[in-house]
Amino acid sequence: FEEYKYYIVTASSTLNMRSGPDTRYERITTIPSLAKVGAVSQYGSWMLVEFGGEMGWVHANYLTDDLNYGKNHSSSGNLSTY
């Protein structure tokens, strides 16, 4: 993929990366809070992202396009269930 749109993970601990755009899909890995991911596609509320050389799906509720997030915010409360 040539061009990513970058996001920061806002989940309070980790965010599950899945093999498909739903919680029933297998978890590939977890992404730490405040990590930067590159998104290439969106399907409903799910984003196809690249992190650490892996491609997978994460729920968009746990991403922000504010690349300064975490520098002036503290993540509060939302344990990842996706």
Side-chain angles (χ1 to χ4, degrees):
F1 296 96
E2 294 178 12
E3 195 152 330
Y4 292 127
K5 178 166 171 61
Y6 289 98
Y7 293 89
I8 301 295
V9 173
T10 61
S12 62
S13 56
T14 60
L15 179 60
N16 291 326
M17 178 190 281
R18 298 190 174 275
S19 61
D22 194 287
T23 55
R24 69 178 181 226
Y25 287 94
E26 179 184 357
R27 184 176 68 199
I28 297 170
T29 190
T30 57
I31 304 171
S33 181
L34 303 181
K36 185 176 178 182
V37 298
V40 295
S41 182
Q42 183 167 3
Y43 180 81
S45 299
W46 293 82
M47 304 286 284
L48 179 60
V49 301
E50 185 277 330
F51 177 76
E54 300 262 19
M55 292 290 292
W57 294 88
V58 298
H59 200 278
N61 283 359
Y62 296 96
L63 300 176
T64 180
D65 60 2
D66 174 4
L67 298 183
N68 291 314
Y69 183 90
K71 294 182 176 130
N72 302 316
H73 303 81
S74 60
S75 55
S76 59
N78 295 332
L79 284 177
S80 174
T81 55
Y82 294 98

